[in-house]
Every structure is written in C-alpha cells, then in structure tokens.
C-alpha cells in the first residue's frame, strides 16, 4: 500500500533548546567536526560502529562528506550544533527516503565525546522525528 499524501522532508534548519540542526556544509563544518572526532582514541571511538572514518586528514573527511552526504537528495545530512557553545558536535541524517511509502530512516548519527551522555542526541533525534511527523505526514 502506498501513502500518496506523505511529503518528502524539507531540508531546512531545525531549532531546539539544546541543539540546532543545520544542513551540512563541508566548508563551514568539517574543520571543527574533524578536530572534535580525531586525535585521541576517545575521540576516534565515534567511528567504531560506522562504515567510514576515522579520516587521515580534514580534506579527506571533507571529500568523503561531499561525495557521500551532500551531493545527492538522499541522504539529507545535518550538522548538529550544541547551542550553548554554538559549535559543531556531530552529524545526523535522514536517508532511504521513499515518499510514496511515507518512509525515511535516521542514520549517519555520530557525536563527539564532549556531548556524550547529554541531551544532544535525544533532542537531535526528536527534532528529526518532529520534522517528519509534524510537517510531512498528512492524514
């Protein structure tokens, strides 16, 4: 059965109390994301369960992101900014988007160790789900 009333997600800034999700822009985001996720075993542990990373240089990370996360309409990748410091702390994405079936998955989720065990992940997921359910599902 197809859901013909579901609208594909818009790719726009999502604002929360603790985080702001901004469409990923490699030129703006990679330097800080690389520094926050490389250089120590603790930082590089964010890559343990992803099929990519760590990267050997910021330019390598930037190129990978350009090819795999921002060159297509799927996935839609956001940089997660922690509001109190206004600094990039991770990435979240919507992928496997099938508007005719009313489906999207959350993936490419990673956060720097500095925000582990905080409200950053919870609110990031909430903002994505709220965006999908409140703005794109129609009954």
């Amino acid at each position: 059965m197809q859901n013909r009333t579901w609208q594909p997600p818009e790719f726009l800034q999502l604002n929360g109390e603790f985080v702001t999700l901004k469409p990923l822009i490699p030129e703006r985001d990679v330097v800080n994301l690389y520094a926050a996720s490389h250089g120590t075993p603790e930082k590089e542990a964010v890559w343990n369960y992803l099929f990519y990373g760590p990267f050997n240089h910021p330019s390598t990370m930037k190129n990978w992101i350009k090819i795999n996360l921002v060159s297509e309409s799927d996935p839609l990748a956001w940089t997660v900014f922690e509001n109190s410091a206004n600094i990039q702390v991770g990435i979240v994405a919507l992928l496997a988007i099938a508007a005719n079936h009313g489906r999207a998955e959350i993936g490419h989720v990673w956060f720097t160790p500095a925000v582990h065990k905080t409200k950053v992940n919870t609110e990031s997921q909430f903002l994505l789900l709220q965006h999908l359910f409140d703005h794109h599902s129609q009954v």
Side-chain angles (χ1 to χ4, degrees), residues 11 22-25 65 69-70 75-79 91-94 108:
F11 196 34
K22 298 180 182 181
L24 175 60
I25 300 173
I65 286 173
L69 295 182
V70 298
L76 299 176
W78 282 267
T79 301
I91 293 175
V92 295
L94 293 174
H108 295 287

Side-chain angles (χ1 to χ4, degrees), residues 14 66 69 86 114:
L14 303 174
K66 281 184 170 183
L69 295 182
N86 193 32

Side-chain angles (χ1 to χ4, degrees), residues 85-104:
N86 193 32
I87 189 85
Q88 298 93 329
V89 295
I91 293 175
V92 295
L94 293 174
L95 58 139
I97 300 164
N100 61 332
H101 293 286
R103 182 190 79 209

Side-chain angles (χ1 to χ4, degrees), residues 53-115:
F55 300 93
N56 61 6
H57 191 271
S59 64
T60 307
M61 184 178 185
K62 183 177 178 180
N63 288 338
W64 189 91
I65 286 173
K66 281 184 170 183
I67 292 168
N68 295 283
L69 295 182
V70 298
S71 65
E72 303 290 331
S73 60
D74 187 346
L76 299 176
W78 282 267
T79 301
V80 179
F81 283 77
E82 195 274 327
N83 286 343
S84 67
N86 193 32
I87 189 85
Q88 298 93 329
V89 295
I91 293 175
V92 295
L94 293 174
L95 58 139
I97 300 164
N100 61 332
H101 293 286
R103 182 190 79 209
E105 299 175 13
I106 296 175
H108 295 287
V109 177
W110 67 265
F111 298 101
T112 65
V115 297

